[in-house]
Amino acid sequence: MAHRWTNRLKDRDVTDETLWLNRRALVVGAGAGLGLAGLGQGARADVLEPTDWDDITSYNNYYEFGTKKSDPARHAHRLTTRPWSLRIDGLVDRPGEYDFEDIMARMTIEERIYRFRCVEAWSMVVPWNGFELADLLDMAGVQPGAKYIAFETVLRPDEMPGTRFPTLDWPYVEGLRLDEAMHPLTIMATGIYGRDIPNQNGAPLRLVVPWKYGFKSIKSVVRITATDSEPPTSWNKSNPREYGFYSNVNPEVDHPRWSQATERVVGSGLFARRQETLMFNGYADEVAGLYAGMDLTRHY
Ligand code: MTE
């Protein structure tokens, strides 16, 4: 294991009444609230049982390597991930090229076991290792005028065969509102199951926003920009009717072509299990307040 990996709880986490951090197989906050008696067909217990390593690392979306789920695991070894630098710029006090190893030395790496829900209606539970995006943004010093954070994936056509086709407008870009980016659930993941994150999952560092559809969790990030206006996002540019800027997991707002009420549990065997999708992917207690007063059918 190249990275230091600690399980240390921070004070604010210990005092948090929801024990979402470092609590393998324990109740994870929010929304579920199902008594055993209420567990019917398709309902779900709120125990987080991590998906197998093999499923997490072989069933991927990373269109820079192709559009099939098996393409990233087949082709992503071509991506050079060391050395790696992350440019942080825009409305920050300390802009610059930050070396990945220097960032790792300054951040506290924790394990976060999160539900992961793709907009395509499948889900996993991933034991990420990483650090809070807020700590990285604090390192750069976000200025008062900033309202959004924009992200960009590396673009190397020589190493990324999928980028030779105009599947998306490369490079892959994403964005968050500043308060979403600063939320303690939002992390930059650098590992899975205590091992370095595999290339197909977005090495060496990728965003993870567990209450949003998976496509917001942009991989192999090379640039983070603090800005005062809503940044463009790849799937919204490609199909604005189907993919909004917010993309919060919401079982009540269907995708124009399929229902979002339930999800297929990846790795649950031949007769794949389906379960109900939870509002904000089960993190409503933590994040619903960010969207108070907003019409979530309009801001999808
Ligand atoms: N980031 C980049 N750069 N390119 C992509 O194609 N796919 C997104 C997201 N991040 C994608 C990306 C989608 S649609 C999903 S569901 C998740 O990555 C998948 O993450 P995983 O392969 O680690 O499960």
Side-chain angles (χ1 to χ4, degrees), residues 56 59-64 66 72 116-120 122 124 126 128 153-154 160 168 170 172-173 192 197 200-202 206 213-220 235:
I56 296 173
Y59 187 87
N60 300 101
N61 278 330
Y62 197 162
Y63 277 24
E64 287 87 333
F116 188 86
R117 170 60 158 83
C118 179
V119 76
E120 298 162 338
W122 52 263
M124 300 187 188
V126 184
W128 304 105
T153 293
V154 70
M160 302 173 124
L168 289 170
W170 314 111
Y172 196 102
V173 290
I192 294 174
I197 193 166
Q200 60 267 35
N201 292 88
R206 60 90 61 86
Y213 290 119
F215 67 84
K216 297 293 287 183
S217 293
I218 181 173
K219 295 178 168 180
S220 307
W235 284 101

Side-chain angles (χ1 to χ4, degrees), residues 207-261:
L207 181 69
V208 176
V209 193
W211 70 93
K212 292 180 179 283
Y213 290 119
F215 67 84
K216 297 293 287 183
S217 293
I218 181 173
K219 295 178 168 180
S220 307
V221 175
V222 285
R223 186 175 179 191
I224 292 181
T225 307
T227 162
D228 60 1
S229 52
E230 188 180 288
T233 61
S234 282
W235 284 101
N236 177 254
K237 280 198 293 181
S238 136
N239 193 338
R241 203 176 67 87
E242 299 192 351
Y243 308 105
F245 175 78
Y246 283 93
S247 299
N248 294 311
V249 175
N250 189 339
E252 285 154 29
V253 176
D254 286 338
H255 187 278
R257 290 182 280 133
W258 58 83
S259 163
Q260 295 291 26

Side-chain angles (χ1 to χ4, degrees), residues 84-127:
W84 191 271
S85 69
L86 171 65
R87 179 165 162 197
I88 306 183
D89 61 8
L91 300 171
V92 293
D93 293 333
R94 291 171 289 280
E97 289 283 341
Y98 289 83
D99 180 70
F100 175 70
E101 305 300 340
D102 293 342
I103 292 173
M104 289 301 282
R106 292 172 69 170
M107 297 290 125
T108 304
I109 306 298
E110 306 170 34
E111 183 183 58
R112 299 283 179 96
I113 301 170
Y114 283 162
R115 299 181 195 89
F116 188 86
R117 170 60 158 83
C118 179
V119 76
E120 298 162 338
W122 52 263
S123 72
M124 300 187 188
V125 174
V126 184

